[in-house]
Amino acid sequence: MVVFLNENIKVGAVFKRGEVVPRWFCYRGRKIAVREITYTWKEHQGTAVFLHFSVSDGLNLYELSFQPERLVWHIEAVE
């Protein structure tokens, strides 16, 4: 079952060669390690750009989004 959240979160990420790679994030008081990035995509909303990441901790699947212009991360959904 997918639960839609759209909450601000703190993310530890590596920036290399123009790419963003999330390594961990804090969600409801827990630090969750990203074990696998299963899918990525880019979305444009007007002039705003959003980078989306489907990530897994080995048990659950999460959708994270990053807005580079504002340096803001969100957790969009968890399954």
Side-chain angles (χ1 to χ4, degrees), residues 50-67:
F50 294 85
L51 305 176
H52 292 269
F53 303 86
S54 178
V55 301
S56 174
D57 64 355
L59 297 174
N60 298 303
L61 190 62
Y62 303 89
E63 181 186 335
L64 308 180
S65 68
F66 177 59
Q67 190 176 6

Side-chain angles (χ1 to χ4, degrees), residues 8-79:
N8 287 342
I9 57 170
K10 184 188 320 182
V11 176
V14 175
F15 294 81
K16 61 179 182 182
R17 294 185 216 122
E19 288 187 17
V20 181
V21 181
R23 298 290 189 195
W24 57 263
F25 60 97
C26 293
Y27 171 60
R28 296 192 176 167
R30 291 183 17 231
K31 185 176 179 180
I32 299 171
V34 174
R35 292 186 185 257
E36 181 181 9
I37 299 173
T38 60
Y39 190 68
T40 63
W41 67 101
K42 186 186 292 189
E43 175 186 18
H44 296 270
Q45 292 181 5
T47 59
V49 175
F50 294 85
L51 305 176
H52 292 269
F53 303 86
S54 178
V55 301
S56 174
D57 64 355
L59 297 174
N60 298 303
L61 190 62
Y62 303 89
E63 181 186 335
L64 308 180
S65 68
F66 177 59
Q67 190 176 6
E69 293 88 11
R70 296 181 51 218
L71 299 176
V72 174
W73 285 90
H74 285 93
I75 183 166
E76 302 291 344
V78 61
E79 181 174 354

